[in-house]
Amino acid sequence: MDFSRRRVVLTPEQGALAELYPHDLQMYIVPPINDISLSEFQELAVSRLTVLRIIEQVSSRGLAKNSDEWKKAVADEIKKHPGLKFFHKLITSHGTSKEPDYSARKADHISHFVLRLAFCRTEELKRWFISRELDLFKLRWLNLSNEGKAEFIRINNLNYKPIPSEDLSQIVEMSYGVISSSLDYYKVSFTTVLDLVRSRKVFLHLGYAYITNNEIISVILTMVRNRLSNELSRTARLLPSMEATGEDQDRIFRYLKSLPHAYIGEDYSTRKSGDKVPIECIDSLARQSFPLCMRQLHYRLRQDHKLRHHGRLQYAMFLKGIGVTLEDITTMWREEWAKVEPEKFEKGGVAYLLRHSYGKEGKRTNYTPHSCMKIINASVTTGDQHGCPFKHNDVSTIRLQLNQSNVPAADVQETVDLINRGHYQLACTKYFELTHGQPPERLINHPNQYFEDSQNVKSGKAGVRKKEITAITATPVAATSSKSDGQQDVWGDLADDDLMSVDMQ
């Protein structure tokens, strides 16, 4: 029996990739110079953005960041996505594979730089991107073996050497037991490990911190943070000249500009088999399972007997997504408009809009219901009924509703704090938890997801996709808007462009 070691022969292309990508974990110092197709460019961008959002969503569950439970939850979520196999492989890598996946390393490299182009435009986008990239970097570092970590340090010429034994003995004596003589320690400037200083997890002496091999990640993260922050600012300064170089670049940068607000989950454009909402149940469902944005629109439709243009779009496509048929929504809306402006239902374009949004007119496109990001980023003016209540309404409205529902003051304040910090989807997720007695299955990213999770909770099938819609009586909560109704309704001609199919949002 032959026990000789198998020899791995690299092709010329693999040899070049091995030189470019010697380790599964990268510092992203040199930009890629590869030629790739536009479709691959977009796929890589969406893949990495999905990973970063998964990290954000798992972190929002209250798991201790960097704990074994947190690491497993992130890896499990990534594994659920077939298109993220290469990321799952890199994230769970020990860094010492004898047969590295160079194509995965290449995709990791390119996708990082693509997102730099998308997230360098504003300080808010920069902060989000840097924070998530650091989480991803540390997750991957924690999964490396000791050999993988040592190889990473060697490859990147970090040159951190343990302090000599004679110096260590003096430090041990001065530290009063904080430093152990049985471990290797590194001497670094305290400014490179401010997170350890802040949590009082490191011994300081004369401006230097003494850290172990396990804590060297703090130094590396500081380097990554500083470099990434500087490079994002530099990229932002170069963007104007990059965007003004031709039609192809214009297409690419339009895509990149919309990418940070992209919704990349289920689009709810197709009604699931068996899902059909009876029209007579709408009022009850609105009270107990509609997200606040859609409950507000339903309330305004019943109160004012009409909706303005963007409110119609937002609400009609949500109803389509939960299983209301075109015939039923047309009947319901016609009855409402008949109470105030019957002639405008047909002649004013309302009926056409419904047929259009259901793919029965115009381009006959199967339009997707609006995601949370699209609703949050909508332009809302005085008198409008659409938008996100957590962003566009006065925060006192949310506070009042929660107080009237006997929500504990601490939970009310937590929700208000999320709103004030601009975490509107987290606020909506918290609102779901407070009004349903348990959190949703996932962070709320889509109104139709909110409805689906709510129905699962109400029917006792949380965690299982619900196939039948049932209306359950609940205490009505009026979703009043803080906007003024003084502005007259604007009835413009409905054009195909008013119902653009939004892939990126």
Side-chain angles (χ1 to χ4, degrees):
M1 188 175 293
D2 183 11
F3 287 98
S4 60
R5 183 177 298 174
R6 184 163 63 92
R7 182 183 178 191
V8 178
V9 180
L10 299 178
T11 65
E13 181 181 1
Q14 289 176 321
L17 290 176
E19 186 176 351
L20 282 172
Y21 309 119
H23 199 281
D24 280 337
L25 187 59
Q26 304 180 47
M27 294 281 280
Y28 309 109
I29 297 173
V30 180
I33 55 174
N34 311 76
D35 291 330
I36 61 173
S37 66
L38 182 58
S39 60
E40 185 180 2
F41 180 92
Q42 294 174 335
E43 288 170 7
L44 290 175
V46 169
S47 295
R48 193 177 196 92
L49 181 58
T50 303
V51 170
L52 298 184
R53 287 188 176 169
I54 286 174
I55 291 175
E56 180 183 41
Q57 291 173 15
V58 170
S59 300
S60 72
R61 298 177 188 173
L63 302 177
K65 192 175 289 187
N66 305 318
S67 64
D68 290 340
E69 187 180 9
W70 179 82
K71 290 190 295 181
K72 183 179 184 303
V74 172
D76 289 346
E77 285 297 322
I78 291 174
K79 193 174 182 179
K80 293 177 183 178
H81 296 259
L84 300 181
K85 287 182 179 178
F86 76 94
F87 259 115
H88 184 267
K89 183 181 296 185
L90 292 176
I91 284 173
T92 57
S93 167
H94 299 303
T96 55
S97 174
K98 293 179 180 179
E99 296 186 20
D101 188 338
Y102 294 113
S103 62
R105 294 178 181 180
K106 177 182 175 182
D108 172 41
H109 183 216
I110 295 174
S111 65
H112 170 83
F113 278 89
V114 171
L115 288 199
R116 279 193 190 184
L117 292 171
F119 283 85
C120 69
R121 296 175 182 274
T122 68
E123 290 302 319
E124 183 180 3
L125 292 177
K126 290 177 190 176
R127 284 194 298 270
W128 186 90
F129 181 62
I130 292 172
S131 179
R132 298 290 82 74
E133 281 287 331
L134 290 177
D135 287 342
L136 176 59
F137 188 97
K138 190 168 185 179
L139 170 64
R140 295 169 66 178
W141 172 269
L142 292 174
N143 284 325
L144 294 178
S145 64
N146 289 334
E147 294 81 2
K149 292 175 182 176
E151 182 67 6
F152 177 85
I153 291 173
R154 185 193 67 78
I155 289 171
N156 289 281
N157 298 315
L158 299 179
N159 297 323
Y160 291 110
K161 297 180 180 179
I163 60 177
S165 57
E166 58 272 17
D167 294 338
L168 179 61
S169 61
Q170 296 179 15
I171 298 299
V172 170
E173 186 177 346
M174 288 187 296
S175 71
Y176 298 100
V178 176
I179 300 294
S180 171
S181 58
S182 62
L183 299 174
D184 287 335
Y185 283 84
Y186 303 84
K187 179 181 177 182
V188 299
S189 171
F190 82 94
T191 58
T192 62
V193 289
L194 291 178
D195 58 327
L196 298 179
V197 174
R198 189 180 302 112
S199 57
R200 301 185 179 185
K201 293 181 178 179
V202 65
F203 176 67
L204 299 176
H205 182 63
L206 299 177
Y208 289 97
Y210 293 85
I211 62 175
T212 65
N213 186 55
N214 289 333
E215 296 164 333
I216 201 78
I217 181 59
S218 293
V219 181
I220 298 173
L221 285 176
T222 298
M223 294 173 57
V224 173
R225 178 191 296 275
N226 292 339
R227 178 178 290 131
L228 184 53
S229 178
N230 292 333
E231 288 301 317
L232 286 172
S233 298
R234 181 171 174 267
T235 303
R237 291 194 298 270
L238 294 173
L239 270 186
S241 60
M242 296 168 64
E243 291 177 335
T245 54
E247 182 179 345
D248 290 339
Q249 283 75 9
D250 183 53
R251 289 173 56 202
I252 292 173
F253 282 100
R254 280 204 311 272
Y255 174 83
L256 290 172
K257 191 175 293 185
S258 65
L259 186 60
H261 309 299
Y263 172 72
I264 48 183
E266 186 175 353
D267 64 13
Y268 298 96
S269 60
T270 303
R271 183 170 60 87
K272 299 179 181 66
S273 176
D275 282 354
K276 185 177 184 298
V277 172
I279 198 65
E280 60 272 13
C281 295
I282 288 293
D283 290 331
S284 180
L285 286 169
R287 289 193 297 268
Q288 52 98 28
S289 283
F290 280 18
L292 204 53
C293 56
M294 299 304 169
R295 196 185 318 175
Q296 178 172 286
L297 286 168
H298 182 79
Y299 175 80
R300 295 300 297 272
L301 177 62
R302 291 304 200 196
Q303 181 187 57
D304 303 337
H305 311 297
K306 63 179 181 179
L307 293 173
R308 300 183 68 177
H309 179 71
H310 293 290
R312 299 171 211 159
L313 287 177
Q314 182 174 313
Y315 190 39
M317 286 192 276
F318 167 77
L319 292 178
K320 182 183 79 164
I322 68 172
V324 177
T325 65
L326 175 59
E327 293 74 17
D328 280 348
I329 189 176
T330 301
T331 299
M332 182 179 75
W333 283 29
R334 180 182 286 113
E335 290 174 354
E336 292 299 330
W337 256 268
K339 298 173 184 177
V340 287
E341 297 172 333
E343 72 285 353
K344 285 194 173 180
F345 185 79
E346 292 293 345
K347 298 180 180 179
V350 182
Y352 179 82
L353 179 144
L354 293 177
R355 294 194 299 272
H356 196 157
S357 61
Y358 275 71
K360 303 300 183 182
E361 294 280 1
K363 298 176 182 178
R364 299 185 181 275
T365 301
N366 188 22
Y367 296 106
T368 60
H370 293 179
S371 68
C372 287
M373 288 306 299
K374 182 172 178 62
I375 293 171
I376 288 169
N377 289 296
S379 176
V380 178
T381 59
T382 301
D384 283 339
Q385 305 127 323
H386 67 290
C388 171
F390 296 100
K391 178 181 180 181
H392 299 115
N393 285 11
D394 194 293
V395 71
S396 61
T397 304
I398 309 296
R399 185 189 292 275
L400 177 62
Q401 290 172 348
L402 291 175
N403 286 333
Q404 290 176 341
S405 301
N406 298 316
V407 172
D411 289 323
V412 173
Q413 190 57 48
E414 182 181 348
T415 306
V416 170
D417 289 342
L418 289 170
I419 295 170
N420 289 334
R421 295 202 305 270
H423 300 316
Y424 308 116
Q425 288 167 260
L426 289 177
C428 187
T429 303
K430 182 66 177 179
Y431 186 87
F432 182 104
E433 179 180 350
L434 296 176
T435 54
H436 289 75
Q438 68 182 73
E441 298 174 33
R442 304 147 286 176
L443 175 74
I444 298 299
N445 281 310
H446 202 290
N448 293 80
Q449 172 209 337
Y450 184 109
F451 176 82
E452 191 174 81
D453 287 356
S454 173
Q455 282 288 292
N456 288 339
V457 170
K458 296 292 183 182
S459 63
K461 297 182 180 179
V464 181
R465 286 191 178 276
K466 184 168 174 54
K467 293 298 181 183
E468 295 180 358
I469 307 298
T470 55
I472 304 172
T473 303
T475 303
V477 179
T480 54
S481 170
S482 63
K483 304 293 182 183
S484 168
D485 292 328
Q487 185 172 340
Q488 291 185 346
D489 197 1
V490 178
W491 297 82
D493 293 333
L494 180 68
D496 285 356
D497 291 341
D498 292 327
L499 276 166
M500 291 177 63
S501 178
V502 182
D503 296 326
M504 291 305 305
Q505 297 186 42

